[in-house]
Amino acid sequence: MKISKKILIAVISLILAGVVFADTTYKVEKGDTLYSISRKFQITVAELRAANNLTETDVLKAGQKLTIPSDDIATAAALNSKTESTASSSVVKTETYVVQKGDTLYSLAKKNNMKVDELLSLNGLDSNAVIKVGQKLKIKAASSSTAETKTPVATSDAKKATTTKTDTAKTDTPAIVPDTRTYDEKHTVASNVSWPVKASKVTYRTGKISGVTLTCKENEDVKSVREGTVMYVGLYRGYGQVVFIQSKTGLIYAYTGLGDVKVNKFDYVVSGDVIGTAGIDSISKTPQITFMVFQGSTPIDPAKAPRG
């Protein structure tokens, strides 16, 4: 049976995406640090620590194997915040789990269909917590975990939008990459809502990522819509240059797809401050940013998030 070139390219793209964005293992090399490894794989240091049960003072050794977690910007936002999730054991059925050798917060959360920040919150832990063999943790009861539905992989724009060079995959991708991200074109927004840019078009994203894509001018200033502390600045896999700003109430405002960044981690910004410029989307080839707001790892409607 003859396979068309288009089908073959599509299959190869899916295989590459699966290899690049699934959890993978990295062997530490001489001179590596958590920061340098996080930059290499375009995730945050907090995610890397959580996936490997590491503290801020742990020293890496050449030959050590680390788990590189798959991309999840919601988890990244939660782990790079000062406050914990609002999840509570009083509204979630839990059971007790005894930590085994090799367990990490990341692996336990994944195994029990939870977010890392949910696991932290249920147990009164912060994002720098390290678990020990024999320690008892609260996890979601089996009935709670299995009742939840998983988002189809096809809806994750991060897995389709780009590929990142790693030790396990090459960056040989088709010259033309279709935009498989999903949008809600019917969702309208009031005209008086203020956005980080003077958006000529506001389109809601659907699926795994809940936020808005804002079409704007190339290199247009991107302004903070809410005062707060810059918690993360850098590349994040599938989103380009990213800035997370946490408000005093604990909300994380995520500005992604920036062309240039003009703030540093721990800077305090007020509403209207320029935090960067708009970049060019790698797929649509148009100037735009994606704007998201999170409470813990739970996305909220960016149009309804507090301003000022």
Side-chain angles (χ1 to χ4, degrees), residues 18-302:
V19 170
V20 173
F21 291 101
D23 288 359
T24 185
T25 300
Y26 175 76
K27 192 173 182 179
V28 176
E29 299 177 355
K30 185 177 180 180
D32 277 341
T33 63
L34 286 176
Y35 180 79
S36 67
I37 295 170
S38 72
R39 296 303 84 210
K40 181 174 184 176
F41 290 95
Q42 295 182 12
I43 57 175
T44 70
V45 172
E47 290 173 282
L48 199 53
R49 284 201 191 103
N52 294 279
N53 204 32
L54 299 172
T55 68
E56 293 183 353
T57 57
D58 281 332
V59 177
L60 300 181
K61 297 179 180 179
Q64 181 178 349
K65 291 183 178 180
L66 296 179
T67 295
I68 307 299
S70 56
D71 64 295
D72 187 340
I73 199 166
T75 294
L79 289 176
N80 283 276
S81 63
K82 291 181 179 178
T83 57
E84 298 170 9
S85 166
T86 55
S88 169
S89 58
S90 63
V91 295
V92 177
K93 290 183 179 180
T94 64
E95 55 188 40
T96 300
Y97 175 81
V98 179
V99 176
Q100 305 296 310
K101 184 177 180 180
D103 282 340
T104 66
L105 290 166
Y106 178 80
S107 66
L108 289 178
K110 188 174 182 181
K111 187 188 302 181
N112 292 282
N113 197 24
M114 301 172 68
K115 292 287 189 180
V116 175
D117 70 306
E118 287 183 288
L119 186 58
L120 293 173
S121 181
L122 283 176
N123 293 279
L125 303 173
D126 63 31
S127 60
N128 292 318
V130 171
I131 55 178
K132 299 179 180 179
V133 174
Q135 182 177 349
K136 293 182 178 180
L137 295 177
K138 292 179 182 177
I139 59 172
K140 276 186 180 179
S143 58
S144 298
S145 297
T146 55
E148 296 183 5
T149 57
K150 293 185 177 179
T151 304
V153 174
T155 62
S156 175
D157 64 287
K159 292 179 172 60
K160 305 289 184 179
T162 187
T163 57
T164 302
K165 185 176 181 181
T166 70
D167 292 347
T168 57
K170 297 181 179 179
T171 55
D172 300 328
T173 56
I176 300 176
V177 182
D179 190 347
T180 57
R181 296 171 294 193
T182 51
Y183 302 91
D184 181 0
E185 299 285 354
K186 296 180 180 179
H187 196 128
T188 58
V189 182
S191 59
N192 62 344
V193 175
S194 61
W195 296 108
V197 291
K198 296 177 181 178
S200 59
K201 184 178 180 182
V202 179
T203 310
Y204 270 75
R205 298 277 289 276
T206 59
K208 181 180 177 180
I209 300 305
S210 179
V212 292
T213 291
L214 305 171
T215 304
C216 55
K217 294 180 181 179
E218 186 175 354
N219 294 321
E220 181 178 339
D221 284 344
V222 177
K223 299 179 180 180
S224 173
V225 301
R226 181 75 166 170
E227 69 173 330
T229 304
V230 177
M231 301 305 296
Y232 177 77
V233 174
L235 287 171
Y236 194 81
R237 194 185 297 169
Y239 297 89
Q241 292 280 2
V242 170
V243 172
F244 292 159
I245 297 177
Q246 184 175 21
S247 71
K248 289 181 179 179
T249 58
L251 292 178
I252 288 284
Y253 291 71
Y255 306 78
T256 80
L258 303 181
D260 188 26
V261 176
K262 299 183 182 298
V263 291
N264 298 305
K265 187 175 181 180
F266 300 135
D267 282 353
Y268 191 84
V269 299
V270 298
S271 180
D273 279 355
V274 175
I275 61 173
T277 59
I280 301 294
D281 182 66
S282 61
I283 297 178
S284 67
K285 305 303 180 184
T286 59
Q288 64 183 44
I289 68 168
T290 296
F291 177 55
M292 295 167 278
V293 183
F294 299 96
Q295 175 69 63
S297 61
T298 303
I300 65 174
D301 187 343

